[in-house]
Amino acid sequence: MPNLKDIKRRIRSVKNTQQITKAMKLVAASKLRKAQLAILEARPYAVKMMDVLNHLAARCNSDLHPLLDEREGNKHLFLIITADKGLCGGFNGSIIRKTAEHLKKNPQNENSLIIAGKKGNDIFRNRPVNIVDDHIGWTKDFNYLKAQEIGESLATLFSEKKVDKVFMIYNEFKSVMAQEVIVEQLLPVVPEKLEHKEGSFAVDYIYEPDEEAILDGLLKRYMTVEVCRAFLESSASEHGARMTAMDSATRNAGEMIGALTLTYNQARQAYITKELIEIVNGAEALKG
Amino acid sequence: MTQKLILSIVTPEKQLVSEEVDQVNVPGTEGDMGILYDHAPILTVLRSGQLSYEKEGKTVVLVVSGGYLEVTDNRVTVMAETGEFLKEIDRERAERAQAEAEKRLGETDISEEEYIETQKKLFRAIARLENSESN
């Protein structure tokens, strides 16, 4: 028969856990609101930036700027964005899995990583892959300047031909409940081909001051904006994932408490019955 | 039917404007520009200054700082670093920013990069102040 005291202790411990998960859920929910707003407001700018860059890049030669240079080489650099904390469901795991998949596609010594977030670093630190840089603790103090710094370092690595392609792997914020792992090629910037409709042709722009200056400025800005967007997406996704995970944890804890309470009551009743039988038996024996 | 331009103004923080307008006036680095229907495709850099657009006879004025302007197929896209509607400008803050930037620019231990940054700040503050004077 289960020990009454043990069951009681377990109920108490599950209750404590439930309180913690509930609190974490509330915290995640409030952080999510902020992060969601940030990403929703940053998206239009990023989209427009991409449009304009596409228009411009499609019109001019790819050898006009080092960041447009498509090379044959196979040296890949991945910027992977994970969280600093766990307890957010499959959020970090899916990023790590995707990254491992991509690392396998290429010979080992041709890959390198830049890792943002403690969780990703914990995993890849011990694996045989070249880590160029890490940004542990980014979730605490991320801002536009940080994105700029990262964007510039990526651009430098690329234009010095240390790497031939740069990818970002991050969680895109779909909704509070859903994230999607995205693998995005950041460099070289590949412009979408303009559709050539019958009878129309891509009209060249009037540039002020001149094409190269604008392209250079735009590309730099684009890098920052894209990196910044990826981080914001990741941050919103993280809070969403954590909120969902903690919500289900709270619910599970509730179910567990219910089941344990049932066992506890059954055990208590059995104990009482047993005592009663003992008393009755004792009384019977005395009578005899 | 009147012919309209589709104007959208975005900043990294948010989308400020997305509507159909009759005319847009922007502060280009090489001089101010007015854009009407059927303008040739153009891509240009903006300086800090006043951007206005006309819609149904009414004029709306914003102050933007830096950024790009693209016009294609009667779509006008302004990507500004910052942008505020004239009525939202905080004059006191701009004055403070101007004073600070001027002070910093006068000091000797300033690096080249910081000099450029501070100069930008100064222009931004001046643009805000000049344009909100009329209010």
Side-chain angles (χ1 to χ4, degrees):
Chain A
M1 195 181 71
N3 190 331
L4 279 182
K5 230 181 197 169
D6 281 350
I7 299 180
K8 220 172 181 179
R9 201 179 300 134
R10 278 192 62 192
I11 293 180
R12 204 161 40 213
S13 112
V14 176
K15 259 188 189 153
N16 279 337
T17 312
Q18 191 189 29
Q19 260 171 9
I20 293 169
T21 56
K22 207 187 250 169
M24 281 183 76
K25 181 189 145 194
L26 293 177
V27 171
S30 82
K31 280 188 181 165
L32 171 68
R33 219 166 303 143
K34 238 193 268 169
Q36 197 176 352
L37 199 69
I39 182 63
L40 293 183
E41 294 199 324
R43 266 182 195 160
Y45 188 78
V47 170
K48 289 282 178 208
M49 182 63 101
M50 190 105 86
D51 282 352
V52 172
L53 195 61
N54 269 332
H55 291 167
L56 176 58
R59 281 176 171 83
C60 59
N61 269 332
S62 64
D63 50 8
L64 210 59
H65 197 278
L67 295 185
L68 294 173
D69 182 18
E70 283 182 67
R71 294 194 281 267
E72 284 298 302
N74 241 343
K75 274 177 282 177
H76 292 182
L77 173 69
F78 298 92
L79 168 63
I80 66 169
I81 308 177
T82 61
D84 284 313
K85 288 180 197 149
L87 293 180
C88 42
F91 178 83
N92 293 315
S94 49
I95 290 281
I96 288 161
R97 216 173 311 123
K98 199 79 177 177
T99 310
E101 235 171 69
H102 277 267
L103 290 181
K104 253 187 245 157
K105 283 186 192 161
N106 225 0
Q108 216 180 66
N109 49 7
E110 305 233 4
N111 293 318
S112 42
L113 289 179
I114 293 183
I115 300 172
K118 185 169 169 293
K119 286 289 154 183
N121 193 53
D122 286 349
I123 298 286
F124 286 106
R125 199 177 43 197
N126 299 323
R127 295 206 187 169
V129 57
N130 174 27
I131 297 176
V132 185
D133 198 3
D134 56 40
H135 302 277
I136 296 172
W138 69 268
T139 44
K140 263 181 243 130
D141 57 353
F142 182 75
N143 54 31
Y144 195 73
L145 285 178
K146 182 102 181 159
Q148 197 167 7
E149 187 191 307
I150 296 173
E152 272 166 20
S153 72
L154 292 174
T156 316
L157 282 171
F158 182 79
S159 44
E160 286 173 359
K161 304 200 172 166
K162 289 193 177 122
V163 294
D164 301 312
K165 279 198 167 86
V166 179
F167 297 92
M168 291 196 291
I169 303 182
Y170 62 97
N171 274 297
E172 191 177 68
F173 181 79
K174 291 275 174 209
S175 72
V176 176
M177 305 286 285
Q179 305 85 39
E180 194 184 334
V181 178
I182 299 278
V183 183
E184 185 184 311
Q185 180 173 334
L186 191 63
L187 288 172
V189 177
V190 183
E192 282 168 29
K193 289 278 164 270
L194 286 186
E195 303 148 44
H196 285 272
K197 290 177 215 143
E198 284 299 313
S200 81
F201 55 96
V203 191
D204 207 2
Y205 283 115
I206 305 168
Y207 298 98
E208 260 186 51
D210 62 81
E211 202 173 344
E212 274 136 81
I214 293 179
L215 190 60
D216 184 60
L218 261 181
L219 276 170
K220 278 184 186 145
R221 179 66 63 79
Y222 166 81
M223 290 290 294
T224 311
V225 168
E226 272 304 292
V227 171
C228 188
R229 190 181 62 87
F231 275 89
L232 291 178
E233 295 271 1
S234 176
S235 157
S237 308
E238 180 195 340
H239 294 307
R242 181 164 296 123
M243 197 179 97
T244 324
M246 286 302 113
D247 185 49
S248 70
T250 309
R251 213 167 326 124
N252 287 345
E255 276 168 26
M256 203 160 166
I257 290 171
L260 281 172
T261 313
L262 191 69
T263 343
Y264 176 76
N265 286 340
Q266 277 169 351
R268 190 175 58 111
Q269 204 161 19
Y271 181 72
I272 292 169
T273 316
K274 198 183 105 202
E275 279 210 333
L276 268 178
I277 291 170
E278 273 166 18
I279 292 168
V280 172
N281 280 351
E284 286 292 319
L286 283 178
K287 262 190 207 161
Chain B
M1 197 196 112
T2 46
Q3 294 169 317
K4 301 265 189 189
L5 292 160
I6 300 166
L7 171 71
S8 52
I9 303 178
V10 289
T11 69
E13 269 114 56
K14 63 175 171 193
Q15 177 143 20
L16 284 174
V17 176
S18 174
E19 53 190 321
E20 292 190 338
V21 301
D22 299 310
Q23 181 180 349
V24 188
N25 304 308
V26 297
T29 38
E30 323 258 297
D32 288 4
M33 268 188 293
I35 291 158
L36 291 166
Y37 188 79
D38 261 347
H39 196 285
I42 183 169
L43 189 58
T44 181
V45 183
L46 301 179
R47 61 184 158 78
S48 299
Q50 177 177 324
L51 184 152
S52 63
Y53 61 91
E54 276 165 39
K55 188 188 177 183
E56 288 152 9
K58 272 182 257 168
T59 309
V60 183
V61 183
L62 295 94
V63 175
V64 295
S65 60
Y68 298 90
L69 167 87
E70 190 210 29
V71 183
T72 40
D73 294 340
N74 293 311
R75 285 172 189 280
V76 181
T77 309
V78 177
M79 292 179 293
E81 273 166 53
T82 65
E84 289 154 299
F85 288 101
L86 202 52
K87 51 185 184 286
E88 288 172 351
I89 289 178
D90 183 346
R91 276 192 70 93
E92 265 175 47
R93 211 186 114 209
E95 270 165 22
R96 224 169 29 240
Q98 185 184 10
E100 262 169 44
E102 274 170 356
K103 182 163 161 276
R104 187 76 189 117
L105 287 174
E107 287 166 10
T108 47
D109 60 331
I110 191 164
S111 72
E112 197 178 331
E113 278 164 29
E114 196 186 348
Y115 190 85
I116 295 169
E117 275 307 304
T118 320
Q119 212 167 29
K120 271 194 200 157
K121 266 185 206 157
L122 180 62
F123 289 151
R124 209 176 298 161
I126 291 174
R128 283 190 180 131
L129 287 172
E130 274 179 0
N131 288 298
S132 60
E133 247 154 35
S134 48
N135 285 21

